[in-house]
Amino acid sequence: MDKIVSLCKRRGFLFQSSEIYGGVQGFWDYGPLGVDLKRNLKEAWWQDMICGHNELKQPAGAPSTYEMVGLDCTIIMHPQVWKNSGHYDLFHDHMVDCRESKKRYRFDQVRGREVTYQDRTIFVSTLAEAEQEEDDIRRRGMKFFKLRNKDADKITVGGESITIDKLDNTDNVLGPDAKTLGTLTEPREFNLMFKTTLGALGGEDDVTFLRPETAQGIFVNFKNVLDSSRVKVPFGIGQVGKSFRNEITPRNFTFRSREFEQMEIEFFCQPDQSQDWYRYWRDRRMNWYLSLGMGSESLIMREHDPEELAHYSVGTADIEYAFPFLPPGEFGELEGIAHRGDFDLRSHMEGKLDPATNPMTVELNEHGKPKYRGSGKDLTYRDEATNQKFIPHVIEPSAGADRGVLAFLCEAYTEDQQPDEKGNLQTRTVMKLHPRLAPVKAAVFPLVKKDGMPEIAQDLYGELKKHFNVFYDDKGAVGRRYRRQDEAGTPYCITIDGDTVSDQTVTIRDRDSLEQIRVKLDDVVDTLTKKIDG
């Protein structure tokens, strides 16, 4: 993981926000290569899920044909949206504070192991990455027991790493930044929404929130989309946009950030077909990652246990990826596919629903009135063919664009051995990004800066720029130019050499196979288009 983070900074994929001032934890900027990688991922999602969908043809595994449309909602919405959605009351993580270090941690993210010296055992916690976890725990355990390096074999570090929320209490826990035991407070709830104010006065009545998810903007526009676009159930609404969560302990590079981008679909369907649609979207979204080069051994589909389900959820499955900062055998969430039932539309129509009731009814205050008023708008749907009226059920495939970028960067990072110009084997760092995702699609090299090669290369570069993001490089030996592009993830390199002048052909080199083919100058655009689109 350290090599990936270093490459991201060195090659311009990712930078920490406000780095010259020491950075802001949980916020990240995308550099010249990173911004194109992220844009390509979002465009691939939008093309494959929304605008490229053929509503006239029934996809394999789908219960029927369906329509897809798009939406772009505001980041700031009416405060009542978040009260009726449940975020105002229920959108919490549990945090603990350290009385000694004055630092705050998310209760279920602080890991640790038992450390034993002589007849005493303590639990040493840490925030170190997985590969440094055991070493950090051993070092801190030795420091607690006042041992020197020569006495390292006198302590025993447990083999099982667990989070502190699995412990009965924290009395015997050494906090991540503490020197004494039992400094962690009891866990308490912490609302993850960012507050802001509307208008110039900034009083309590003007308080609202930055959206913690993009989904609610779709739900409150359900009727608008229905009336304006003439879609019929089943149909989906897709949206790509920013969300904000005030994470207690953002960590693991961009995996858990305070500002992030989501790619979400809210799919509205008939209640009696909702389980079939849930299975369809769960499988389709898994296959999408595989189609873009994600290894099947790196991904799992995990159905949530009943006790894990959100209060609104009928069923949820997570697509999880084996991020390298996690312990071996563990996976982190990449995307969630949730069967939300009719919770959202009912909440915005009737008022906040009570999660303690089954089936859920509107939550009441001490006066017997709805705790939070709904909009009062009729969000039911009438089927013209049957004249049946119902509240559609919702299936929600929700993907993180930033987590997607991180997963594809981790999956792409490869080191192999390849011969240099003299035939000697050298370690090559190559980012094996799928051509659709690669920031730069091709690089154009004149072999030398003479004999008409630069002129031909510049003309080809100009023509390719009309179709793809390409790079021109005439500096250094061609082998070194190849290596620079391999590290940036560029799938194809085009070399203009002496033969080009005489026969009007160029060499196209494949990043992964290293295969080189000769192609006529006039055919380069078509050849690359076919290779990139697969």
Side-chain angles (χ1 to χ4, degrees):
M1 193 66 211
D2 289 341
K3 291 182 178 180
I4 295 172
V5 173
S6 175
L7 182 141
C8 285
K9 169 94 183 275
R10 185 177 71 254
R11 293 310 307 265
F13 283 99
L14 281 157
F15 310 126
Q16 188 170 27
S17 175
S18 311
E19 185 178 329
I20 64 171
Y21 290 103
V24 183
Q25 192 178 20
F27 296 90
W28 298 90
D29 298 332
Y30 286 82
L33 288 180
V35 70
D36 277 321
L37 172 58
K38 186 177 179 182
R39 183 171 60 85
N40 291 344
L41 178 65
K42 292 186 293 183
E43 287 183 355
W45 183 90
W46 192 263
Q47 172 64 28
D48 295 347
M49 297 298 115
I50 313 299
C51 71
H53 171 69
N54 184 354
E55 71 277 8
L56 304 179
K57 183 178 179 181
Q58 183 174 346
S64 68
T65 59
Y66 62 91
E67 297 178 81
M68 295 295 294
V69 295
L71 201 62
D72 187 6
C73 304
T74 59
I75 287 171
I76 294 176
M77 302 171 69
H78 195 289
Q80 203 71 9
V81 169
W82 308 114
K83 293 178 179 178
N84 285 318
S85 69
H87 288 83
Y88 187 79
D89 289 341
L90 302 172
F91 197 56
H92 301 92
D93 275 338
H94 285 88
M95 66 178 184
V96 291
D97 291 322
C98 180
R99 301 182 189 91
E100 180 183 313
S101 67
K102 309 303 181 188
K103 292 187 178 181
R104 177 171 290 170
Y105 313 101
R106 183 164 152 176
F107 192 43
D108 62 349
Q109 288 181 351
V110 179
R111 309 181 68 89
R113 306 187 190 196
E114 288 187 339
V115 175
T116 301
Y117 173 62
Q118 295 179 346
D119 59 350
R120 188 178 182 189
T121 298
I122 65 172
F123 189 91
V124 179
S125 63
T126 181
L127 294 176
E129 304 292 355
E131 56 266 31
Q132 287 95 36
E133 180 181 292
E134 185 173 353
D135 290 341
D136 187 61
I137 289 174
R138 183 178 295 277
R139 178 186 60 79
R140 297 188 65 239
M142 289 176 59
K143 192 171 182 179
F144 177 83
F145 288 117
K146 297 181 172 59
L147 298 176
R148 298 181 179 181
N149 289 337
K150 65 178 182 178
D151 299 318
D153 58 348
K154 293 183 180 180
I155 68 170
T156 303
V157 177
E160 183 182 10
S161 172
I162 61 173
T163 51
I164 60 174
D165 60 315
K166 304 292 194 304
L167 303 175
D168 293 335
N169 60 66
T170 59
D171 295 343
N172 201 39
V173 172
L174 183 67
D177 301 284
K179 298 177 182 177
T180 55
L181 300 178
T183 62
L184 298 179
T185 63
E186 288 295 313
R188 64 183 188 275
E189 290 183 341
F190 174 76
N191 194 292
L192 299 178
M193 288 195 293
F194 277 103
K195 282 186 178 182
T196 187
T197 54
L198 292 173
L201 297 179
E204 190 60 33
D205 292 340
D206 302 315
V207 169
T208 187
F209 305 92
L210 303 185
R211 67 182 180 193
E213 64 177 26
T214 58
Q216 298 305 319
I218 297 177
F219 296 130
V220 300
N221 276 294
F222 168 74
K223 203 69 172 176
N224 288 332
V225 172
L226 201 62
D227 294 342
S228 63
S229 59
R230 298 177 63 191
V231 291
K232 297 179 181 180
V233 169
F235 74 95
I237 301 175
Q239 179 172 207
V240 178
K242 292 273 191 180
S243 294
F244 304 82
R245 297 182 184 180
N246 196 10
E247 294 284 353
I248 301 163
T249 50
R251 57 186 302 223
N252 292 332
F253 204 20
T254 60
F255 180 77
R256 194 171 297 281
S257 303
R258 289 175 168 136
E259 177 182 338
F260 55 97
E261 213 158 354
Q262 291 179 285
M263 307 179 296
E264 286 196 314
I265 294 169
E266 304 304 329
F267 188 81
F268 302 92
C269 57
Q270 291 182 326
D272 58 359
Q273 292 186 335
S274 60
Q275 286 294 347
D276 293 333
W277 283 113
Y278 169 65
R279 286 188 288 269
Y280 166 74
W281 279 109
R282 182 194 62 188
D283 297 342
R284 182 169 182 207
R285 291 301 303 145
M286 182 73 163
N287 290 332
W288 186 76
Y289 288 101
L290 297 174
S291 73
L292 288 175
M294 198 72 77
S296 57
E297 69 284 352
S298 302
L299 288 176
I300 62 169
M301 176 78 73
R302 187 181 69 84
E303 289 280 354
H304 282 208
D305 295 328
E307 59 271 15
E308 289 184 88
L309 295 175
H311 59 281
Y312 55 77
S313 180
V314 179
T316 296
D318 283 346
I319 298 173
E320 297 183 339
Y321 178 74
F323 290 98
F325 50 74
L326 297 172
E330 290 196 12
F331 294 76
E333 182 186 350
L334 186 58
E335 174 167 347
I337 300 92
H339 186 324
R340 300 176 71 113
D342 62 2
F343 170 81
D344 301 284
L345 294 180
R346 277 191 61 203
S347 295
H348 291 301
M349 184 167 60
E350 303 170 8
K352 179 180 179 291
L353 301 180
D354 186 351
T357 58
N358 187 17
M360 281 189 280
T361 57
V362 174
E363 187 171 348
L364 304 178
N365 60 21
E366 64 274 16
H367 305 296
K369 302 291 185 181
K371 184 176 181 180
Y372 301 122
R373 289 183 299 102
S375 67
K377 304 296 183 183
D378 184 6
L379 301 181
T380 57
Y381 175 81
R382 186 175 66 84
D383 189 319
E384 293 180 359
T386 64
N387 209 31
Q388 180 189 8
K389 205 172 183 183
F390 58 89
I391 301 175
H393 279 203
V394 174
I395 312 301
E396 178 193 76
S398 177
D402 302 271
R403 285 191 183 182
V405 167
L406 179 58
F408 280 109
L409 283 171
C410 293
E411 187 72 13
Y413 185 88
T414 308
E415 292 180 355
D416 61 18
Q417 296 287 316
Q418 298 296 337
D420 60 13
E421 293 88 347
K422 298 179 180 179
N424 300 319
L425 286 178
Q426 300 288 335
T427 298
R428 177 180 75 137
T429 298
V430 53
M431 298 297 290
K432 294 188 175 182
L433 293 164
H434 191 283
R436 289 183 70 190
L437 302 182
V440 179
K441 306 304 183 189
V444 179
F445 305 153
L447 187 62
V448 294
K449 299 180 184 179
K450 59 182 181 179
D451 300 332
M453 296 181 206
E455 289 78 9
I456 296 174
Q458 289 166 14
D459 287 344
L460 177 61
Y461 173 76
E463 182 61 30
L464 290 173
K465 286 287 278 187
K466 299 174 184 177
H467 307 275
F468 316 105
N469 186 19
V470 292
F471 188 82
Y472 184 88
D473 190 358
D474 60 2
K475 297 177 177 62
V478 71
R480 286 195 289 273
R481 286 183 259 174
Y482 282 151
R483 296 296 183 266
R484 288 197 290 264
Q485 294 305 313
D486 291 342
E487 198 177 52
T490 305
Y492 306 107
C493 290
I494 304 165
T495 303
I496 286 76
D497 55 24
D499 291 338
T500 306
V501 179
S502 58
D503 63 11
Q504 297 295 291
T505 64
V506 299
T507 297
I508 299 181
R509 174 218 188 231
D510 184 279
R511 176 198 64 203
D512 299 337
S513 68
L514 302 183
E515 178 188 10
Q516 298 190 20
I517 60 173
R518 297 293 294 191
V519 175
K520 288 186 176 296
L521 268 172
D522 292 342
D523 296 337
V524 171
V525 172
D526 287 343
T527 300
L528 285 182
T529 299
K530 291 175 182 176
K531 286 179 173 293
I532 291 167
D533 293 341

